[in-house]
Amino acid sequence: MDSNKRPDDMARITTSGLADKRAYVAAVIQEIFEKDIRGRVKIKNISVFNQMRDYVINNFDATTSLASIQSDLESKQGVRVKRETLARYLQILEDAKIVSKCARFDLKSRKSLRGEQKYYLADLGFYFAPNTDNRINYGPVLENIVYRYARAQGCKVSVGRIGKLECDFILRNPEMGYAYVQVAMDIMADRSTEEREYRPFEQVRDNYPKYLLTRSDPIQQRDGIIHANFPEFMQEGRTF
């Protein structure tokens, strides 16, 4: 380190560097929307499209539907838009590889739940670059990373529902094998958190592998469930 640079000088340099990166990512994102989307498809009401786009990006990982998006846009932002228009706008975002739709799947009926889904981001920069709040909600972020990792492996991904419980992901790999995945930042903070993450696995009656992926916990051995540190899981190139 340059001895002439004081700590507060270094802090300003670091902050400036982060600001430059944020500005660069924001510019790239804006170019995607201006050239790749608006240059490819006709959007009559750009303002409504942008508000819907921002809503979906800011609520990635949340269970949603056309009805709930329509209701929230109208009640919270005063935006009135038809559901068929919303469906078209969402498809535009999917076609542009901005978001990916993850449908919900009911394990008891073995059927997809129409109208209920989550949206995950192709890159978390779509969320962080335009937002001034740098605080990280690690739950959705980790789920998004796991979702993208599984998709990169060629897995089909659904959100699982077992009665009133939810399993973060049901995966089907290219060999038609299945896996169940729960994702959490940590499970050691209290016993109730630990039990909540394991509970959906207890309702699964088949013998496909079950994974609990956390960020920093000591690895547990419990009921044949594969508990793994997810950063290490990715670094090792492990498959589900």
Side-chain angles (χ1 to χ4, degrees):
M1 180 185 295
D2 187 341
S3 60
N4 294 321
K5 287 190 172 72
R6 297 173 301 173
D8 55 340
D9 292 329
M10 296 305 299
R12 279 194 290 270
I13 291 171
T14 302
T15 302
S16 175
L18 290 173
D20 290 344
K21 290 179 182 179
R22 182 189 292 272
Y24 173 76
V25 174
V28 171
I29 291 170
Q30 187 62 31
E31 185 173 2
I32 290 173
F33 289 125
E34 290 295 330
K35 293 184 178 180
D36 293 355
I37 293 180
R38 291 177 60 183
R40 179 173 51 84
V41 295
K42 186 175 182 180
I43 300 173
K44 291 184 178 180
N45 194 325
I46 299 299
S47 176
V48 170
F49 174 81
N50 288 343
Q51 287 173 286
M52 183 280 304
R53 173 201 67 195
D54 293 344
Y55 176 89
V56 172
I57 289 175
N58 288 330
N59 289 278
F60 77 95
D61 180 58
T63 300
T64 188
S65 65
L66 285 176
S68 65
I69 296 173
Q70 183 186 44
S71 176
D72 282 357
L73 285 175
E74 183 171 347
S75 63
K76 297 177 182 178
Q77 300 185 35
V79 176
R80 300 182 66 87
V81 57
K82 296 179 180 179
R83 289 190 191 180
E84 53 266 33
T85 302
L86 275 180
R88 178 173 177 266
Y89 287 171
L90 285 166
Q91 190 60 54
I92 289 171
L93 291 180
E94 287 188 71
D95 292 344
K97 311 301 182 185
I98 306 299
V99 300
S100 294
K101 180 168 62 178
C102 188
R104 291 167 65 86
F105 184 81
D106 185 82
L107 286 175
K108 290 190 174 181
S109 67
R110 313 300 296 183
K111 294 180 179 179
S112 294
L113 300 172
R114 294 185 62 187
E116 295 184 21
Q117 62 271 320
K118 292 185 177 185
Y119 287 93
Y120 291 100
L121 303 177
D123 190 300
L124 288 164
F126 286 116
Y127 173 80
F128 286 109
N131 282 290
T132 56
D133 189 348
N134 288 321
R135 291 172 296 180
I136 299 175
N137 186 342
Y138 283 99
V141 167
L142 286 176
E143 280 194 32
N144 202 103
I145 293 170
V146 172
Y147 174 84
R148 298 309 317 176
Y149 184 77
R151 288 290 301 272
Q153 292 184 341
C155 293
K156 301 289 186 181
V157 186
S158 301
V159 177
R161 191 171 77 177
I162 316 169
K164 294 183 179 181
L165 301 178
E166 182 172 290
C167 178
D168 288 332
F169 297 117
I170 302 173
L171 310 182
R172 189 182 72 190
N173 64 32
E175 289 73 39
M176 301 300 290
Y178 285 83
Y180 304 95
V181 181
Q182 286 282 86
V183 184
M185 181 63 181
D186 65 76
I187 59 171
M188 303 302 289
D190 58 74
R191 186 70 175 180
S192 62
T193 300
E194 180 181 346
E195 293 303 317
R196 184 186 68 235
E197 296 300 328
Y198 278 102
R199 195 170 295 121
F201 292 142
E202 296 170 355
Q203 303 300 313
V204 178
R205 303 306 180 191
D206 59 47
N207 294 317
Y208 288 113
K210 305 172 182 68
Y211 293 85
L212 174 59
L213 303 177
T214 59
R215 174 65 181 84
S216 56
D217 288 323
I219 300 302
Q220 295 182 337
Q221 303 293 329
R222 176 171 168 174
D223 301 329
I225 294 164
I226 303 166
H227 181 200
N229 176 284
F230 187 56
E232 293 178 359
F233 192 95
M234 289 193 299
Q235 288 172 359
E236 295 167 2
R238 294 170 61 180
T239 58
F240 293 104

